[in-house]
Every structure is written in structure tokens, then in C-alpha cells.
Amino acid sequence: MKEILLSKVRVSDPSSTYHKQIVNILIKDGIINKISTEKIDASNAEVIEGNEKLYVSLGWFDMRATLNEPGEEFKEDIASLGKAAAFGGFTDVATLPNTTPVIQSKESIHFVKQMSTFSPVQIHPMGALTKDCKGEEMNEVKDMHDAGAVAFTDGVKSSWHLGVIKRALMYMQLFDGLMIEKADEKTLNNDGHMNEGIPSTLMGTRGIPNVAEWLAIQKIVSLLTYTDGRVHFANISTPESVEIIRKAKAEGLKVTCDIAAHQVAFTDEDLASFDTNLKVNPPFRSQKDVDALWEGIKDGTIDAIVSSHTPQDTESKRLEFDLADFGIIGLETAFASIVSNLPTEIDVDTIIEKLTVNPRQILKVEQAPIAEGSKAVLTIFDPEVSWTFAESDIQSKSNNTPFVGKKLKGKAVAIVNKGQLVKA
């Protein structure tokens, strides 16, 4: 019988009666066997010494990561994705359907789920909303839902056909399906490479204006008033987007949203070096935009924080800035990039809620509270530790990250999932 003992750890789980308490947790065969404020004798257990400094929460759940298997396994496969996720403190990852071929059938959903069986991280595949993610024809979403798809999205592509979106919203109400949309009005985004502003002008680089995002969000929110249904907006980045979603929630519409963790770590001014590892979509915007995102986190408008993990090979990034592909790897650094920039008025428990409870509620994935008899799906972390992210910390097959060499705050120590203890 495998035993794991978490000694003197602080609980961060509002649903637990032990929230904010220092406890000892004994885990046997993947189940929380005992929780006590008193010492637990477990001589055969593998021990994590918390020393009243480490925290334990529900396992972190990433709602948005790119998986390149099948088709481009040289960028990332299921095994390497699991390693990167575990290092970053994630027990669960929802993956986008933009593989080759696209994840758009019950067979492809089964493939991803089956291939992740032996990973310490649980993979939750999302199915393509439209055929080949082209936005023109809705897929057989009910079949994929029955096979285990947690949501439907065109992933890194934005849905553009309002008629298809309308039909999808109406049809998916039959099984309370969730549409996830990365809002981007293609006719307004100027085929840009960074935020539209003074830095883009000085750099002579085409910019992506805020309106390309928030107008696309406004269109879909307007459709919701006609169709009903559930929509989650991924990777929002502008004050206008936050305000539109805030108002939609106040009106009772079923709208949720997230931001990429790296979105608050940089601004468009940091792109003056033309470092292609800083080329992301949506782009890093102004400090004013970042401040609005923090306000949305504080007041609950922004429901979740995601890694937006997007592996790219060297050939996709070692190019002129305008030619390089978008994206950075984010699983290893998501928590640290948030905590390192956390305003003093926002506490760590607020961030943990957006990494644990909220993603599961949005995707309707079972929650296992920190309680005796529950399945042990846990993340152990230190929110105060300072560390420098090194190239050796990269677990992904790709290394497109701007964080190498940067001093960060906050780090996952280990995860417990599927009866395994995996140290970061």
C-alpha cells in the first residue's frame, strides 16, 4: 500500500473545513485517508515536509494548452505535456483541438484520453467546434461530448461565421455544452504582430488594435441574448473586453472568461528588443490594459487563469519578428508569472480559486475537495519562494519562452494525482 504524508501544510481550499489551517494529510492508494492538526504516524510513507510554509490546494487545472500529438510531436507530445504540467503544478490540463488531424470525432477524443492514461496528469480534450477549425460547418459535437470532450472550440483560431455560432449555441443547449471562443475580428486585426500603440509605431511593426478583440466579444454576447447558451472567452486582454463581460454577467448571461498567465508579466514596451519569444496572441498590451485585467481578477469578472501553453520549434521562432509564429510555452511558469506580478490587494487564495475551483465548475469536471475519503488530486506549492527559471527547468519539447534567466516568485513543489507523488 503506497502512502504519502504531507506534513504541516497550509490548506488553500474554501470548500474544505480545514481552509487556511496547518494540517497533516495522509494519502493511501490515491485517497485522502486522514487529515489532522496533530502529528500522523506513518513510518512507511513518502513525506513532503511543509514546515508550515508550504500550501496545499486542489490540483491546479489548466483550461488552455496546445497539444501537438498527433501530427507535430516534435513540438510537444502527451508525455512531454504531462511532464511540463506536473512541473508547473497542474494535475489537469484541457487541450485544444488544433492537431494534425484536428480533434473532431469521438475516436480522436478517445485517442487523447487513452494516450494520457499513464501520465500523472489528467488530459481533458476539447473538440473542434467546426470542421477542421475553419468556422464554416459545425461538427458532430454531441458525439464528442458523449466521448468525453469537455468543451468545443476552434482553439487558436477564432470563429467568424455568426450563423454557425448561433446554431452551435442553440444546439449545445441540449446537453449544456460549452463554447470556448478566442475572440478576434479578423477584418480588424490588421494581420498584426503586436499591440497597436506607440511601441508598434516606433518599431515599424503592424499592430493589433484592442477593437479587434472586444468587438468580436460584443457580437457573441449580443447573440447570447437571442439564443441563450454558454460561452467562455479565452485569453482576453483589453479593458473593453473586461467591461463587456462584466456587464453581460450582471445581466445574467452565461458568460465566463480567462486570461493567459503571461499576459500580466510583460507590456508592449518590452518588445523593443524584437525578441520573438515575446510574440504572443493576443499580444502583450499596455500597462493600462494590464491594470484592467488585475481589476477583473479582483472583482471576479475574470474567472480563470490559464497557461496558454503554445509550443513552437526553433524554426518557427528564429526568424524576423514579423515572420515568427505566435506563442510561448507556459505550463512551467504560469503560477510564477502571476504571483511575481501580484498586486498587494489581491491574495494568493484568490489566484488559487482561479486555478482550481473555477475551471472545474466552468468545464463541469468533478471536484474532489480536501476531505477524508476524497480522491487525492492536490498541488503543493510555496507562494513566497524566489527562484530563477533556468533552461534546465524546461520540461516541454519546445523552449520558446521569455522567462529563462528571470527571477520569479512562487513555485509548485509537487503534485499528487492518480496515486502518484510527482515532485517539481
Side-chain angles (χ1 to χ4, degrees):
M1 180 180 291
K2 184 172 183 179
E3 297 184 355
I4 301 166
L5 178 63
L6 309 181
S7 175
K8 295 183 180 179
V9 290
R10 186 183 303 272
V11 176
S12 177
D13 177 11
S15 67
S16 172
T17 57
Y18 297 98
H19 182 49
K20 295 190 175 182
Q21 294 186 46
I22 304 293
V23 301
N24 301 289
I25 302 176
L26 180 63
I27 299 158
K28 291 185 178 181
D29 289 342
I31 303 297
I32 297 176
N33 178 265
K34 186 176 183 180
I35 303 177
S36 176
T37 56
E38 303 297 326
K39 182 180 178 180
I40 297 176
D41 291 321
S43 57
N44 296 323
E46 186 171 2
V47 181
I48 294 285
E49 291 287 356
N51 295 318
E52 300 187 5
K53 293 181 180 180
L54 298 185
Y55 285 60
V56 62
S57 70
L58 300 177
W60 298 348
F61 196 121
D62 183 22
M63 283 186 64
R64 188 177 182 85
T66 298
L67 174 64
N68 301 97
E69 183 178 359
E72 293 182 313
E73 289 87 350
F74 58 91
K75 290 184 179 181
E76 197 81 287
D77 58 25
I78 290 172
S80 61
L81 184 82
K83 291 178 182 178
F87 181 92
F90 293 96
T91 60
D92 296 79
V93 178
T95 55
L96 299 177
N98 308 100
T99 51
T100 306
V102 171
I103 303 297
Q104 57 185 356
S105 66
K106 61 183 181 182
E107 290 80 13
S108 57
I109 296 294
H110 284 310
F111 167 79
V112 174
K113 290 174 72 69
Q114 184 63 35
M115 288 293 289
S116 66
T117 300
F118 300 104
S119 170
V121 173
Q122 185 65 45
I123 306 296
H124 303 267
M126 294 188 275
L129 181 68
T130 65
K131 299 286 186 184
D132 298 321
C133 297
K134 293 181 177 179
E136 297 170 351
E137 182 184 355
M138 188 172 69
N139 271 318
E140 295 290 344
V141 291
K142 181 62 165 60
D143 281 353
M144 287 187 282
H145 169 77
D146 292 344
V150 293
F152 302 94
T153 178
D154 283 338
V156 297
K157 299 182 179 180
S158 299
S159 302
W160 59 271
H161 195 303
L162 292 179
V164 173
I165 294 173
K166 183 195 77 170
R167 288 192 290 276
L169 285 171
M170 297 177 73
Y171 179 73
M172 288 196 294
Q173 290 176 50
L174 295 173
F175 53 92
D176 198 23
L178 176 68
M179 177 187 295
I180 296 183
E181 176 65 15
K182 180 187 170 297
D184 182 19
E185 178 53 62
K186 290 294 185 184
T187 58
L188 293 175
N189 75 6
N190 199 32
D191 290 327
H193 305 283
M194 62 179 293
N195 182 53
E196 182 181 81
I198 292 175
S200 67
T201 302
L202 293 175
M203 292 169 62
T205 298
R206 287 197 304 274
I208 303 172
N210 282 17
V211 68
E213 176 180 292
W214 68 256
L215 187 58
I217 290 176
Q218 184 64 72
K219 285 182 178 180
I220 295 176
V221 167
S222 297
L223 265 183
L224 275 178
T225 64
Y226 174 70
T227 63
D228 201 10
R230 293 199 299 139
V231 174
H232 178 86
F233 291 106
N235 287 190
I236 68 168
S237 65
T238 74
E240 297 90 346
S241 301
V242 175
E243 185 54 35
I244 291 168
I245 293 168
R246 182 181 288 125
K247 183 180 177 183
K249 287 185 171 189
E251 293 174 354
L253 297 178
K254 298 171 187 174
V255 175
T256 52
C257 67
D258 67 57
I259 65 164
H262 57 247
Q263 200 71 40
V264 299
F266 301 94
T267 68
D268 54 358
E269 294 182 2
D270 294 310
L271 274 68
S273 63
F274 289 95
D275 181 359
T276 59
N277 284 325
L278 290 168
K279 184 175 180 180
V280 294
N281 192 353
F284 293 118
R285 300 202 186 266
S286 70
Q287 187 60 52
K288 178 182 176 182
D289 297 322
V290 172
D291 292 343
L293 297 182
W294 283 123
E295 189 60 35
I297 286 174
K298 186 168 70 172
D299 71 12
T301 300
I302 294 170
D303 302 274
I305 297 168
V306 302
S307 74
S308 203
H309 181 76
T310 309
Q312 299 288 6
D313 62 342
T314 302
E315 287 73 18
S316 300
K317 283 292 189 179
R318 193 172 293 174
L319 298 166
E320 293 179 17
F321 189 84
D322 288 2
L323 299 177
D325 285 345
F326 290 105
I328 68 175
I329 56 172
L331 282 165
E332 295 100 325
T333 55
F335 180 67
S337 63
I338 284 288
V339 175
S340 299
N341 296 280
L342 194 64
T344 55
E345 66 271 20
I346 302 176
D347 63 20
V348 171
D349 284 335
T350 298
I351 300 305
I352 295 303
E353 182 182 38
K354 298 178 191 301
L355 289 170
T356 58
V357 175
N358 291 359
R360 288 178 170 88
Q361 288 180 343
I362 293 166
L363 295 174
K364 297 190 178 297
V365 173
E366 178 188 4
Q367 306 221 28
I370 300 177
E372 292 180 359
S374 288
K375 188 185 301 181
V377 182
L378 306 171
T379 298
I380 302 95
F381 63 98
D382 186 339
E384 298 295 333
V385 67
S386 293
W387 62 296
T388 300
F389 185 68
E391 195 164 347
S392 59
D393 292 322
I394 297 174
Q395 307 298 307
S396 170
K397 282 189 172 183
S398 298
N399 61 4
N400 51 307
T401 173
F403 288 103
V404 171
K406 290 195 176 294
K407 189 173 182 179
L408 301 171
K409 179 182 177 182
K411 189 178 187 298
V413 173
I415 64 168
V416 179
N417 194 29
K418 300 182 181 180
Q420 302 177 56
L421 172 66
V422 182
K423 296 179 181 179

